[in-house]
Structure formats: C-alpha cells, structure tokens
Amino acid sequence: MTSFPKIVPAGCWLRLVLALVALLGGQSSHAAHLQPSASEPQQILLLYAYGYGGRGVELFSEGFFKAITEAGFPVANVYAEYLDLQRNKDVPGYRQELRDMLHRKYAQRHIDLVVTVQQPALEFLLTDGQEIAPQAPVITILHRPLLEAEMTGRRIVGEVNQFDIKGTLERALELFPQTQRVVFASGSSAADIQLAEEAARVAGTWQGRLEFEYTTGLALDAILQRVAHLPPHTVIIFTQYNVDPEGRVALAYEVERMIVKAANAPVFGFYDYNLHNGGIGGSVIAVEASGARTGRLALDILTGAAPATAGTLLTNENIPMFDWAQIQRWGGDINRLPATTMFVNRPPSAWQQYGAVSVGAMIFLLAQSALITVLLANIRRRKRAESVLGESEAKFHAIFDGILDSVVFADTQRCIQMVNPAFTHMFGYNVDEAIGRSTALLYADPADYAEQGRRRFHSEATGDSGVYELRYRRKDGTEFWAETSGTRIAGPNGKVHGLIGMHRDITERKQAEEEVRRLNADLEHRVEQRTSELVATNKELETFAYAVSHDLRAPLRAMKGFSQALLEDYGDRFEGEAKTYLDQIGIATHKMGELIEAILALSRSARGELQRDTVNMSALATGILADLARTDPVRAVITEIEPGLEIDGDTRMIESVMRNLLGNAWKYTGKTPLPIIRVYSGEVAGLSGICVADNGAGFDMAHADHLFQPFRRLHRQDEFPGIGIGLATAQRIVNRHGGQIRAHAVPGNGATFCFTLTGESGAA
C-alpha cells in the first residue's frame, strides 16, 4: 500500500491535484481506439532525405515517436531509412543500389504507411522507389506545395514547412534597430541558391535602408572567415546549406553550429534547433512539434480517423522564439518583439521567485491590520472572531480525529504533545498516558529511535523526512511493523518547533512479503532439485543413445559384410527376387547406419560445454556452399552472402547448424530451374540474427509444427531423400545458445529459416 504524508503545504496539494488531473485527462485520444492487430500488425516506414545525425532529424523523430508511443503504437513496427541522397548524389549507381536494397528489404514486409521527411525523400519515392509499398498512403514534410505530377498515383497528405524569411528579418530588426548590414549565410547547391534568391526578393522591401550580403559563391572556410570579421551593426540569417562550390557536403545543422561559433554577430535561423546550436533564434519552425503532428496524423490514417483528401498539405505556423541568454549577450531590445514571443533560458523574475512569499506576507499583514482595525472599532466583534476560531478548531479536530493513520505532534525534545484516536487504537496508550512522554516508548529498537531523530532534527535538508518501514511496540509489549513519515514544523526563521509524525500499520503486508520470500526460497530449492534430476536423466539418455548406437553397429557391419560377400562370391548365382532381396538388405543396413549416426548427432547437439567465440558467418557460409558445389559440380546455384555477418557462439555447433540449413537449401532447390540461396542478417522475435533463404520446393506452413521433430519430414523420400534429423539438431543447438529459430515458406516458392543466439545458455 502506498503511503502519502498527511500534512503538506497547500502549494504541494495544488501541484498534486494538477498532476492527477493531467494524468487522468491528458492521455492521447488515439490510445482509446488504437489497437493494432496481433496477427497483422500495422507497420510504418520513415524515409529521411539526408544522413543520420542531424539535430533536425533527431527532434522530428523525438516528436513523432513520442506521439505514437503515447497512443500505444509499438516502436518495433516502425522502420527508418536514412537515404543520404545529397552526399551521394554524384556517386554512380547509388540511387539504383538504394532502390534495389529497399525493395529487397521491404518486399516481404507489409508497409501500411510511408512518411517522407524533406523534399528529396518524396522525389526518390515517386521516381526510383515506385515499387516500395506502392499501395501505402504517404505523409510528406516539404518546403513547398505538391507539384501537379505528384498528386497522381499515390495518396499523399502532409505538411508544408515554409521558411519565414520575412518574419525572421523583421524580428532581427526589432531586436537590433541599429542594424546596417544583413548577411544571408547559405551553401551553393541548387536548393541553397533558390532559397537565397527568395531571401533576396524578401530583402527588396528594405533595399536602400540596409546592405545585404550573400555567401552562395563562397567555400565553407571562406564563409566562416567572413562571418568572423563583420563590421558592427550586422546580423546573420542562416538559410540553408547542402554543399559549397568546392563540393564540400555537410549537414545544415553542422554548418550552422560552425557559423555560430565563428561569428562576431548574432545568428538567426528558421528552425528551432538554431537555439540548440547557440543561435539567437528567429521566426522558426518547431521541428519536434512538426514530428508530433505527423505522428498523430499517421495514427489517424492507420485507424481510419483521418480520411484526408490526397494532395492536401497543411502549412505550418512559424513561432517567434529566442534564446534569452543570446539576446543579453548581443544587447537586443526585447520590448519591440511581439507579445507571443517565446524565450528559452530566461531566468525567473523576482516576482516568479518571491511572488508567493510576498503575497503570503501581504495577506498576513492585511489580515493582521484588518483584525486590529476591527478590534479597535468594536470590541464586541471579539466574540465573533472567537466563534470563527472555534469553528476552525472544530473543523481541524474533525479532520484530525477522522484520519485513519496514527498522527503524533511532538516538540523539539520529541515529547508527545498531541495524538489522534487512531494513535490510541494502534499503540494502546490513551491520551493521558501518551501526552508528555518521549516517543522512544513507541520504538521496538532504540537504534531506530536514534536514527529517526538524526534524520528529522539534525539534517540540513528539507523538512520532509521521507517514508520508512520500522518496528514499533504497543503498550502490551507486542511488536508490529508500521510505515512512518513525518515533517518538521519550522517558523519563518527556519527554527524547528516540533515534528508531525504519521504511522500506518503494515504488519499484514510484511507477513505477506515474508511468505512470498519463503515460497520463493522453496521454489528455488525445488528448481535446483528438479534441475539435478533432469541432468541425471539427460545423462542416462546420452548413455543409452551411445550404448544403443554402439551395440547396433556390430550386427549392422556383419549384415553389410555378409551381404557384400554373398554378392561378390555368389552374385552370379542369384536371380530374380533373390538378388532383389539381397539388394534390399544392403539398402536397409545403409539406412540403419545413417539413422544411428543421426541419433548420435542429435545426442551430441544436446551435450558438451559451449565454447563461445565470435564466428564469421559470412566466411562460414561461403566455405559450406563451396563444399556443396564440389560435391555436386553439375548444378549452377546462385549464392548471395551478406558480408560482415558475425555471431557469438560455439564455432563447432554453429557450423553444424549452417551445414544443416544450407544443405537443406541446396537439396530442396534441386528441381528449381534457376536456384538461388541467400544468407543475410534478419530479425527473430525482435532480435537480430542470421537468415538462410532459398527459392526451392518450400512447404505448407500448416505442417510447420513437424519441422523440428526428429525423423519427421514434409516431403516423400522419392522426392527429396533424407532422414529428418537435421532441423531437429539445428533447433537443439540454437536452444542451447538461448536463441530461437523460425521458419517461413510457401509451397513452390522457397523457404526461409532465421535463427538468433542471445548469448545465454538455454534448455537443450
């Protein structure tokens, strides 16, 4: 049971009530109706135009994921790709390779919604990425409205984040009315130049009154050199940067931070992360809020709550936002800014710091003045004041006596001054027996009494002493557990006048906890006992398997030898059915030998100590496939092995798993005209692992529960020969590593087996 202090300042009660209201009423409306299906989970694909690491991307992602997770949408169902189009735009074949990679990666995943962040990502999706989730609707974040050609085909909605060049320039001149020069800092890509040209059109309003300078033709080092040596009364507005004339590519966030660090003038920007870079601010786009809006729109589309018309893009609202510390640094005049301006890093005013105290003091003084005035005006009002006081005292006693927890008022010497009825019921002392006595008589352990005194009277911390679980003693000598909390009573000068202590009997809870601990200890003992029994049983099974296989080998070798001798010595005398019977004896002995070896292999997979190491799965798969190709040189099999695959496990056992999986893939593609075997990194139960896929015979998933059972096969012997022990062996090895193995197949369209190793030993 949770315990709260019963006597706290009024302001704390207010904050508690507000917190409860926010908790109960502030839940996202999506949480009530967003219930993704467990069998067909909805999935979202995020396409970022640029590379990973930009602050704008981070803020957008924070807002997006916060919105969807508050509504109960699982993060595991969201995939994110950083296309890095600008940095690789001149790399031959990059877009083609990117398209092929994304198509392979998401061809088997059902993507329900695509979100493109920034214009190049949408252009890539509509041109190169047409095969990526073609039926899924698209939410896009652009700096311009959709083109006519972009409004056909896919259903596209979203938001236009337009830069407020005019508003930012106006705010800059309001802060610094003495400004004479404005430098628009930007890169030299086509998009950078286009934005600089838009800035020049906006600046035309101030032509003749201000000097304007543009950096579109300068290398990045030259830009940094220029902003470091600007004349007085200059402001800088950072527009955009992708690349300079020398081909130097960088994120706009990085370049803006370089300019802020080097500049001898305030730097304004169009995104709110300008403030994170040390910039002064501007009429900005709130990136995190944009991400949150996108997240909520995504949920509305997935749940059918927002059937927005395709091509509908809402325009964002720019916010005047500034860093108070930077304004003070550069001497800006905040009085000219709009009343809606937001400030960060603004220290609280004297009123914010001391307003409540001042109001309290004023109220106290006014009350005292009013009381004196009333007393001087009419002595008869004293009775009325006494009546009011009596009513207040009666209310106090009604509340005090009605509290179910024990409450004790004590002085600085820890002598009891006042108790409520719950105290007498809990401790057995009546009021007369308790008043004036030390609280030491309540404690079962004198050390607890001393420790509580140190905490509550000799600490330099605040008056709240926390909540503790201690043993207490009743008047009749019986002991019990109670949850105790308290606070010091201090005057305006900080001097401690006494203590309020509260107690809640938790004896039953402690007994329940002790019973749980006892049951847990008993359970651990039973687990150890059962584990020992299981180990012994497994040992017996191993011994039995070895003995059976060993004892069977001798008669099998005799049968095989005598059959071979009969064929060699008397083969020309056997005719018809006799020779057939002898051949069948040879085939049967060979089959029995294979079964014995399979039983031993299965037994070995479940015993022996694991020797963990880092296994190069790419090299291992390459070697195994080369061995298979040498044993079957007639076949031409296409193999695709993802480079750099590594996994931690027992090298010998992992090799056995891969030989079984790749051997099956080789065998079951034997009748496929153009066989393909792939080894790549995948995901199993939310964990990264290794996948082996082929385009062979496949199997019906309705019978998948038989896959990993020893000697159970899903194909006839005349179709694909085998014993049916390989997958059972592979599963036992994976389980021993604490991992999981999963299979997926379609008859006639191949099969995929994925496994992962957690690094913790599991059951064999």
Side-chain angles (χ1 to χ4, degrees):
M1 181 182 296
T2 303
S3 175
F4 295 97
K6 299 299 184 294
I7 301 179
V8 294
C12 295
W13 280 117
L14 178 60
R15 288 193 294 272
L16 177 61
V17 172
L18 292 177
L20 289 172
V21 172
L23 179 63
L24 295 173
Q27 301 295 325
S28 170
S29 61
H30 301 284
H33 62 264
L34 183 61
Q35 298 292 338
S37 171
S39 58
E40 295 181 359
Q42 295 175 306
Q43 303 186 91
I44 301 173
L45 174 60
L46 287 170
L47 297 179
Y48 295 101
Y50 301 112
Y52 178 79
R55 183 56 178 161
V57 171
E58 294 175 356
L59 288 172
F60 181 91
S61 299
E62 290 174 5
F64 181 87
F65 283 99
K66 181 179 180 181
I68 66 172
T69 53
E70 287 180 349
F73 192 92
V75 175
N77 291 359
V78 181
Y79 302 91
E81 300 288 347
Y82 299 86
L83 305 182
D84 211 358
L85 297 170
Q86 177 63 34
R87 183 160 46 194
N88 297 285
K89 69 174 184 176
D90 297 323
V91 177
Y94 176 78
R95 294 175 73 95
Q96 176 72 22
E97 293 177 0
L98 183 62
R99 182 197 68 182
D100 294 343
M101 182 275 291
L102 293 176
H103 179 61
R104 287 197 306 271
K105 189 172 182 180
Y106 296 103
Q108 302 301 322
R109 293 189 175 104
H110 180 71
I111 301 299
D112 300 277
L113 177 67
V114 180
V115 179
T116 66
V117 184
Q118 298 169 318
Q119 180 177 327
L122 178 64
E123 294 174 352
F124 175 88
L125 181 66
L126 297 180
T127 55
D128 303 83
Q130 295 178 358
E131 297 179 356
I132 301 171
Q135 304 302 321
V138 179
I139 300 177
T140 187
I141 308 298
L142 297 175
H143 290 308
R144 59 162 176 77
L146 287 173
L147 302 177
E148 189 68 27
E150 296 170 343
M151 296 185 184
T152 59
R154 291 179 182 262
R155 173 192 170 194
I156 302 176
V157 297
E159 184 172 282
V160 177
N161 284 338
Q162 292 183 341
F163 293 146
D164 188 6
I165 302 174
K166 181 175 180 293
T168 298
L169 181 55
E170 289 174 346
R171 302 294 84 78
L173 298 179
E174 289 167 353
L175 275 173
F176 305 101
Q178 303 301 320
T179 299
Q180 299 175 1
R181 176 182 295 271
V182 179
V183 177
F184 286 97
S186 66
S188 301
S189 70
D192 299 339
I193 294 173
Q194 182 179 359
L195 188 57
E197 291 173 351
E198 176 63 23
R201 285 192 293 271
V202 172
T205 305
W206 288 271
Q207 200 66 40
R209 289 179 287 169
L210 298 172
E211 295 180 22
F212 293 91
E213 183 176 341
Y214 305 86
T215 67
T216 50
L218 298 180
L220 179 55
D221 291 337
I223 295 174
L224 298 177
Q225 183 69 19
R226 176 54 184 154
V227 299
H229 299 88
L230 293 172
H233 305 303
T234 300
V235 297
I236 303 169
I237 297 179
F238 178 81
T239 58
Q240 181 172 284
Y241 181 100
N242 288 295
V243 65
D244 68 1
E246 296 179 355
R248 181 172 177 179
V249 177
L251 293 172
Y253 176 80
E254 296 173 326
V255 175
E256 185 181 47
R257 183 165 50 195
M258 295 178 191
I259 291 175
V260 168
K261 187 174 180 180
N264 65 342
V267 180
F268 294 78
F270 301 136
Y271 287 107
D272 57 357
Y273 60 76
N274 168 272
L275 285 76
H276 297 277
N277 273 337
I280 195 169
S283 181
V284 301
I285 297 170
V287 179
E288 185 174 355
S290 177
R293 289 193 298 271
T294 304
R296 290 190 291 270
L297 177 58
L299 298 178
D300 287 340
I301 291 176
L302 292 177
T303 57
T309 305
T312 302
L313 270 66
L314 303 177
T315 303
N316 70 292
E317 179 181 358
N318 297 83
I319 303 170
M321 184 182 297
F322 295 91
D323 188 329
W324 182 272
Q326 292 298 321
I327 293 176
Q328 302 306 308
R329 174 188 175 188
W330 299 105
D333 182 8
I334 64 168
N335 296 319
R336 298 165 55 89
L337 293 173
T340 57
T341 300
M342 297 177 59
F343 296 98
V344 298
N345 297 327
R346 183 173 187 174
S349 64
W351 174 255
Q352 291 172 323
Q353 295 185 72
Y354 308 112
V357 176
S358 300
V359 169
M362 291 174 61
I363 292 174
F364 177 79
L365 292 175
L366 288 173
Q368 292 297 316
S369 300
L371 180 58
I372 293 172
T373 302
V374 169
L375 290 174
L376 292 175
N378 193 341
I379 195 64
R380 289 177 299 177
R381 295 190 179 180
R382 171 191 259 175
K383 292 183 179 180
R384 181 179 177 184
E386 291 175 349
S387 175
V388 171
L389 182 60
E391 292 177 2
S392 298
E393 186 175 354
K395 291 178 181 178
F396 165 76
H397 278 288
I399 296 173
F400 183 67
D401 294 344
I403 296 175
L404 299 178
D405 292 335
S406 163
V407 181
V408 178
F409 284 82
D411 60 17
T412 56
Q413 302 303 314
R414 304 179 70 183
C415 290
I416 300 173
Q417 301 295 309
M418 187 176 182
V419 296
N420 70 340
F423 168 87
T424 62
H425 176 74
M426 182 179 295
F427 287 93
Y429 296 97
N430 60 39
V431 175
D432 294 334
E433 292 173 329
I435 299 300
R437 300 183 66 178
S438 172
T439 56
L441 84 160
L442 306 179
Y443 290 84
D445 187 347
D448 289 339
Y449 172 74
E451 177 63 16
Q452 289 296 299
R454 184 191 66 78
R455 285 174 174 168
R456 296 176 176 172
F457 287 97
H458 304 293
S459 173
E460 297 297 329
T462 61
D464 188 0
S465 60
V467 179
Y468 308 94
E469 295 180 359
L470 299 174
R471 287 185 302 112
Y472 290 90
R473 180 180 291 113
R474 296 187 176 91
K475 178 182 177 181
D476 61 8
T478 58
E479 295 183 1
F480 67 99
W481 282 90
E483 192 175 67
T484 178
S485 61
T487 185
R488 294 179 298 179
I489 305 172
N493 59 356
K495 183 179 179 181
V496 177
H497 298 295
L499 171 73
I500 303 173
M502 288 154 283
H503 312 86
R504 174 171 295 177
D505 192 334
I506 58 170
T507 303
E508 292 184 0
R509 191 185 80 190
K510 298 294 287 187
Q511 292 173 347
E513 291 173 353
E514 182 60 31
E515 179 65 15
V516 169
R517 282 193 290 270
R518 188 190 65 77
L519 291 174
N520 285 338
D522 182 58
L523 179 61
E524 290 177 2
H525 175 71
R526 292 186 181 182
V527 169
E528 291 176 358
Q529 184 179 9
R530 295 294 175 82
T531 301
S532 299
E533 294 173 356
L534 182 61
V535 170
T537 302
N538 285 339
K539 186 65 177 178
E540 292 176 1
L541 289 175
E542 292 174 9
T543 303
F544 174 76
Y546 179 79
V548 169
S549 61
H550 183 271
D551 293 343
L552 287 177
R553 278 190 172 128
L556 278 176
R557 283 195 297 269
M559 291 173 63
K560 183 176 181 181
F562 286 128
S563 298
Q564 187 66 31
L566 284 172
L567 285 173
E568 292 176 355
D569 297 340
Y570 303 101
D572 54 347
R573 301 182 186 180
F574 291 108
E575 295 181 357
E577 291 184 351
K579 192 174 187 308
T580 300
Y581 292 158
L582 194 57
D583 290 339
Q584 289 299 317
I585 291 173
I587 293 173
T589 55
H590 178 74
K591 182 69 173 180
M592 178 63 78
E594 288 183 339
L595 287 173
I596 291 172
E597 292 299 325
I599 291 172
L600 286 176
L602 186 61
S603 176
R604 284 193 295 269
S605 70
R607 69 176 188 267
E609 184 178 354
L610 294 179
Q611 301 294 329
R612 294 193 176 275
D613 204 351
T614 299
V615 183
N616 187 331
M617 300 300 289
S618 300
L620 180 60
T622 301
I624 294 173
L625 288 172
D627 293 342
L628 292 170
R630 281 192 293 270
T631 60
D632 193 3
V634 178
R635 294 185 60 196
V637 179
I638 299 174
T639 60
E640 299 178 3
I641 301 175
E642 182 178 327
L645 296 177
E646 290 185 344
I647 199 166
D648 290 334
D650 188 296
T651 304
R652 174 180 60 86
M653 292 188 177
I654 298 305
E655 180 179 357
S656 176
V657 172
M658 291 300 290
R659 285 194 179 277
N660 280 313
L661 295 181
L662 290 172
N664 281 351
W666 189 276
K667 176 169 63 177
Y668 290 111
T669 56
K671 299 179 181 180
T672 303
L674 186 61
I676 300 174
I677 298 176
R678 295 195 302 125
V679 180
Y680 59 94
S681 60
E683 189 174 282
V684 182
L687 301 174
S688 59
I690 304 298
C691 294
V692 175
D694 64 70
N695 63 341
F699 56 84
D700 189 346
M701 288 296 292
H703 307 296
D705 56 335
H706 300 316
L707 273 177
F708 301 103
Q709 297 180 11
F711 309 112
R712 296 294 297 272
R713 307 184 70 249
L714 302 185
H715 297 87
R716 299 195 312 273
Q717 188 72 18
D718 58 343
E719 291 181 324
F720 297 99
I723 300 174
I725 203 69
L727 290 179
T729 302
Q731 186 189 51
R732 290 199 174 193
I733 292 174
V734 170
N735 287 350
R736 285 204 66 198
H737 283 75
Q740 299 183 52
I741 184 168
R742 296 287 186 270
H744 179 77
V746 176
N749 287 323
T752 300
F753 288 83
C754 296
F755 68 91
T756 182
L757 310 182
T758 64
E760 299 178 358
S761 297

